[in-house]
Amino acid sequence: MKSKAVWALVVLNVLLLASLCLHGLTPSARAQGRGASDYLMIPGEVVGGNASIIYIVDTRNAQLSARAYDQQARALVDMGQPIDLGRIFGNGGR
């Protein structure tokens, strides 16, 4: 009985070693995008209004957008189009 268990463990170790060696030969999955961006999220408040704002800066694309939470409507409201910070700062921020 012990010899069967030993041989089963030997076969299992050989299979694990083979899968470890073959793992390096298979291509790994890659994302298709340009890569992840870094985002800065800055909270703010509207003076005299009833909304709180989160300013979102996309550092890779140099864009500024905002999302507001309207407390009366209890809904998130997005800014229309992001602002191109490269155009405003003359590409000095990149």
Side-chain angles (χ1 to χ4, degrees):
M1 186 62 150
K2 289 184 180 180
S3 66
K4 286 184 181 179
V6 169
W7 280 108
L9 289 174
V10 168
V11 170
L12 179 64
N13 282 331
V14 169
L15 290 174
L16 288 174
L17 182 64
S19 69
L20 184 64
C21 292
L22 292 176
H23 178 69
L25 299 176
T26 59
S28 60
R30 302 259 184 227
Q32 297 296 320
R34 297 183 329 198
S37 292
D38 291 327
Y39 294 99
L40 296 173
M41 301 177 88
I42 305 158
E45 292 186 13
V46 176
V47 177
N50 61 348
S52 298
I53 291 184
I54 297 177
Y55 299 101
I56 304 166
V57 180
D58 183 356
T59 58
R60 176 171 291 232
N61 299 322
Q63 293 180 338
L64 171 71
S65 60
R67 178 172 270 196
Y69 178 70
D70 189 0
Q71 294 175 355
Q72 288 181 347
R74 294 187 180 183
L76 290 173
V77 180
D78 289 329
M79 185 175 121
Q81 292 290 330
I83 298 171
D84 185 14
L85 295 176
R87 182 177 57 92
I88 292 173
F89 293 113
N91 291 327
R94 289 188 183 217

